[in-house]
Coordinates of all heavy atoms in Angstrom, one line a residue:
Chain A
V100 N -113.4 -15.8 -107.8 CA -114.7 -15.1 -107.4 C -115.0 -14.2 -108.5 O -114.2 -13.5 -109.1 CB -114.5 -14.5 -106.0 CG1 -113.4 -13.4 -106.1 CG2 -115.8 -13.8 -105.6
Chain B
L238 N -116.9 0.1 -106.6 CA -116.8 -1.4 -106.3 C -118.0 -2.1 -106.6 O -117.9 -3.2 -107.1 CB -116.4 -1.5 -104.8 CG -115.0 -1.3 -104.4 CD1 -114.8 -1.4 -102.9 CD2 -114.1 -2.4 -105.0
L242 N -118.1 -5.4 -109.0 CA -118.3 -6.7 -108.3 C -119.7 -7.4 -108.7 O -119.9 -8.5 -108.7 CB -118.3 -6.6 -106.9 CG -116.8 -6.1 -106.3 CD1 -116.9 -6.1 -104.9 CD2 -115.7 -6.8 -106.9
I308 N -119.8 -4.5 -95.3 CA -119.8 -4.2 -93.8 C -119.1 -2.8 -93.6 O -118.4 -2.4 -94.4 CB -119.1 -5.3 -93.1 CG1 -117.7 -5.5 -93.6 CG2 -119.9 -6.6 -93.0 CD1 -116.7 -6.3 -92.8
L324 N -115.1 -11.0 -88.0 CA -114.5 -11.0 -89.2 C -114.0 -12.2 -89.9 O -114.2 -12.5 -91.0 CB -113.2 -10.0 -89.1 CG -113.5 -8.5 -88.8 CD1 -112.3 -7.9 -88.5 CD2 -114.3 -8.0 -89.9
L327 N -116.9 -14.1 -91.0 CA -117.5 -13.4 -92.2 C -116.7 -13.9 -93.5 O -117.3 -14.1 -94.6 CB -117.3 -11.9 -92.2 CG -118.5 -11.1 -91.7 CD1 -117.9 -9.6 -91.4 CD2 -119.5 -11.1 -92.8
L328 N -115.4 -14.0 -93.3 CA -114.5 -14.5 -94.3 C -114.9 -15.9 -94.7 O -114.9 -16.2 -95.9 CB -113.1 -14.3 -93.8 CG -112.0 -14.1 -94.9 CD1 -112.3 -12.9 -95.8 CD2 -110.6 -14.0 -94.3
A331 N -118.1 -15.8 -96.8 CA -117.8 -15.4 -98.1 C -117.2 -16.5 -98.9 O -117.5 -16.5 -100.0 CB -117.0 -14.1 -98.0
I336 N -118.5 -15.3 -102.5 CA -118.8 -14.0 -102.7 C -117.7 -12.9 -102.2 O -116.9 -13.4 -101.5 CB -120.2 -13.6 -102.1 CG1 -120.2 -13.9 -100.5 CG2 -121.4 -14.4 -102.8 CD1 -121.5 -13.5 -99.9
H337 N -117.9 -11.7 -102.5 CA -117.0 -10.6 -102.1 C -117.2 -10.0 -100.7 O -118.4 -10.2 -100.3 CB -117.0 -9.5 -103.2 CG -116.5 -9.9 -104.5 ND1 -115.1 -9.9 -104.9 CD2 -117.1 -10.4 -105.6 CE1 -115.0 -10.3 -106.1 NE2 -116.2 -10.6 -106.6
I338 N -116.3 -9.4 -100.2 CA -116.5 -8.6 -99.0 C -116.1 -7.2 -99.3 O -115.0 -7.1 -99.6 CB -115.8 -9.2 -97.8 CG1 -116.4 -10.6 -97.4 CG2 -115.9 -8.2 -96.6 CD1 -115.8 -11.2 -96.2
I339 N -116.9 -6.3 -99.0 CA -116.4 -4.8 -99.0 C -116.4 -4.4 -97.6 O -117.4 -4.3 -96.9 CB -117.4 -3.9 -99.9 CG1 -117.4 -4.5 -101.3 CG2 -116.9 -2.5 -99.8 CD1 -118.4 -3.7 -102.1
S340 N -115.2 -4.1 -97.1 CA -115.1 -3.6 -95.8 C -114.9 -2.1 -95.8 O -113.8 -1.6 -96.1 CB -114.0 -4.3 -95.1 OG -113.8 -3.9 -93.8
E342 N -114.1 0.9 -93.9 CA -113.4 1.2 -92.7 C -113.1 2.7 -92.6 O -112.1 3.2 -92.1 CB -112.0 0.5 -92.6 CG -112.4 -1.0 -92.6 CD -111.2 -1.9 -92.4 OE1 -110.1 -1.4 -92.2 OE2 -111.3 -3.2 -92.4
S356 N -108.7 -4.4 -88.3 CA -109.0 -4.1 -89.7 C -109.1 -5.4 -90.4 O -108.4 -6.5 -90.0 CB -107.9 -3.3 -90.2 OG -108.0 -3.4 -91.7
M357 N -109.9 -5.4 -91.5 CA -110.0 -6.7 -92.3 C -108.6 -7.0 -92.9 O -108.2 -8.2 -93.0 CB -111.0 -6.5 -93.5 CG -111.5 -7.7 -94.1 SD -112.4 -8.7 -92.9 CE -113.3 -9.7 -93.8
A358 N -107.7 -6.0 -93.0 CA -106.4 -6.2 -93.6 C -105.5 -7.1 -92.7 O -104.8 -7.8 -93.1 CB -105.8 -4.9 -93.8
I360 N -106.7 -9.5 -90.7 CA -107.1 -10.8 -90.8 C -106.5 -11.4 -92.1 O -106.0 -12.5 -92.1 CB -108.6 -10.9 -91.0 CG1 -109.3 -10.1 -89.8 CG2 -109.1 -12.4 -91.0 CD1 -109.5 -10.8 -88.6
L361 N -106.5 -10.6 -93.2 CA -106.0 -11.1 -94.4 C -104.4 -11.4 -94.3 O -103.9 -12.3 -95.0 CB -106.2 -10.1 -95.5 CG -107.5 -10.0 -96.1 CD1 -107.6 -9.0 -97.2 CD2 -108.1 -11.3 -96.4
E364 N -104.4 -14.9 -93.0 CA -105.0 -16.0 -93.9 C -104.8 -15.4 -95.2 O -105.8 -14.8 -95.9 CB -106.6 -16.2 -93.6 CG -106.8 -16.7 -92.2 CD -108.2 -17.0 -92.0 OE1 -108.8 -17.4 -93.0 OE2 -108.7 -16.8 -90.9
D367 N -107.0 -15.8 -99.2 CA -108.4 -15.4 -99.7 C -108.5 -13.9 -99.9 O -109.5 -13.3 -99.8 CB -109.5 -15.8 -98.7 CG -110.6 -16.5 -99.3 OD1 -110.4 -16.8 -100.6 OD2 -111.5 -16.8 -98.8
R368 N -107.3 -13.3 -100.4 CA -107.4 -11.9 -100.5 C -108.2 -11.4 -101.7 O -108.6 -10.2 -101.6 CB -105.8 -11.5 -100.7 CG -105.0 -11.7 -99.6 CD -103.6 -11.6 -99.9 NE -102.9 -11.3 -98.7 CZ -102.0 -10.3 -98.5 NH1 -101.8 -9.4 -99.6 NH2 -101.5 -10.0 -97.3
E369 N -108.3 -12.2 -102.7 CA -108.9 -11.8 -103.9 C -110.4 -11.2 -103.7 O -110.8 -10.5 -104.4 CB -109.1 -13.0 -104.8 CG -107.8 -13.5 -105.2 CD -107.3 -12.9 -106.6 OE1 -108.0 -13.1 -107.6 OE2 -106.4 -12.1 -106.6
R370 N -111.0 -11.8 -102.7 CA -112.4 -11.4 -102.5 C -112.6 -10.2 -101.5 O -113.8 -10.0 -101.2 CB -113.2 -12.6 -102.1 CG -112.9 -13.3 -100.7 CD -113.8 -14.4 -100.4 NE -113.4 -15.6 -101.0 CZ -113.9 -16.3 -101.9 NH1 -115.1 -15.8 -102.4 NH2 -113.5 -17.4 -102.3
V371 N -111.6 -9.8 -100.9 CA -111.8 -8.6 -100.0 C -111.4 -7.3 -100.5 O -110.2 -7.3 -101.1 CB -111.0 -9.0 -98.7 CG1 -111.1 -7.9 -97.6 CG2 -111.6 -10.3 -98.0
H372 N -112.2 -6.3 -100.2 CA -111.9 -5.0 -100.8 C -112.2 -4.0 -99.6 O -113.2 -4.0 -99.1 CB -112.7 -4.6 -101.9 CG -112.8 -5.9 -103.0 ND1 -111.8 -6.1 -103.8 CD2 -113.7 -6.7 -103.1 CE1 -112.1 -7.2 -104.5 NE2 -113.4 -7.6 -104.1
I373 N -111.1 -3.2 -99.4 CA -111.3 -2.3 -98.2 C -111.4 -0.9 -98.7 O -110.8 -0.5 -99.6 CB -110.0 -2.4 -97.3 CG1 -110.0 -3.9 -96.7 CG2 -110.1 -1.5 -96.1 CD1 -108.7 -4.2 -96.0
V374 N -112.4 -0.2 -98.0 CA -112.6 1.2 -98.5 C -112.1 2.0 -97.2 O -112.6 1.8 -96.0 CB -114.1 1.5 -98.7 CG1 -114.2 3.0 -98.9 CG2 -114.5 0.8 -100.0
I391 N -109.6 2.9 -102.2 CA -110.0 1.5 -102.3 C -108.7 0.7 -102.3 O -107.8 1.0 -103.0 CB -110.7 1.3 -103.8 CG1 -111.9 2.1 -103.9 CG2 -111.0 -0.2 -103.9 CD1 -112.6 2.1 -105.2
Y392 N -108.7 -0.2 -101.4 CA -107.5 -1.1 -101.2 C -108.0 -2.6 -101.6 O -108.9 -3.0 -101.0 CB -107.0 -1.1 -99.9 CG -105.7 -1.8 -99.7 CD1 -104.5 -1.2 -100.2 CD2 -105.6 -3.0 -99.2 CE1 -103.2 -1.8 -100.1 CE2 -104.5 -3.7 -99.0 CZ -103.2 -3.1 -99.5 OH -102.1 -3.9 -99.4
S393 N -107.4 -3.1 -102.6 CA -107.9 -4.4 -103.0 C -106.7 -5.2 -103.5 O -105.7 -4.6 -104.0 CB -109.0 -4.3 -104.1 OG -109.1 -5.5 -104.7
C394 N -106.8 -6.5 -103.3 CA -105.6 -7.4 -103.7 C -106.1 -8.1 -105.0 O -105.3 -8.9 -105.6 CB -105.3 -8.4 -102.8 SG -104.7 -7.7 -101.1
N395 N -107.2 -7.7 -105.5 CA -107.7 -8.4 -106.7 C -107.3 -7.6 -108.0 O -107.7 -6.4 -108.0 CB -109.3 -8.5 -106.6 CG -109.8 -9.4 -107.7 OD1 -109.3 -9.2 -108.8 ND2 -110.8 -10.2 -107.4
V398 N -110.0 -6.3 -110.3 CA -110.8 -5.1 -109.6 C -110.1 -3.9 -109.7 O -110.5 -2.8 -110.0 CB -111.2 -5.5 -108.2 CG1 -111.8 -4.4 -107.5 CG2 -112.3 -6.6 -108.2

Side-chain angles (χ1 to χ4, degrees):
Chain A
V100 57
Chain B
L238 281 177
L242 306 181
I308 52 166
L324 288 175
L327 263 173
L328 208 56
I336 55 178
H337 294 269
I338 295 180
I339 299 176
S340 178
E342 302 183 356
S356 165
M357 203 57 164
I360 309 275
L361 287 186
E364 298 187 33
D367 230 7
R368 299 170 152 228
E369 294 267 293
R370 64 175 85 251
V371 178
H372 318 279
I373 298 172
V374 173
I391 296 173
Y392 187 79
S393 168
C394 300
N395 190 316
V398 169

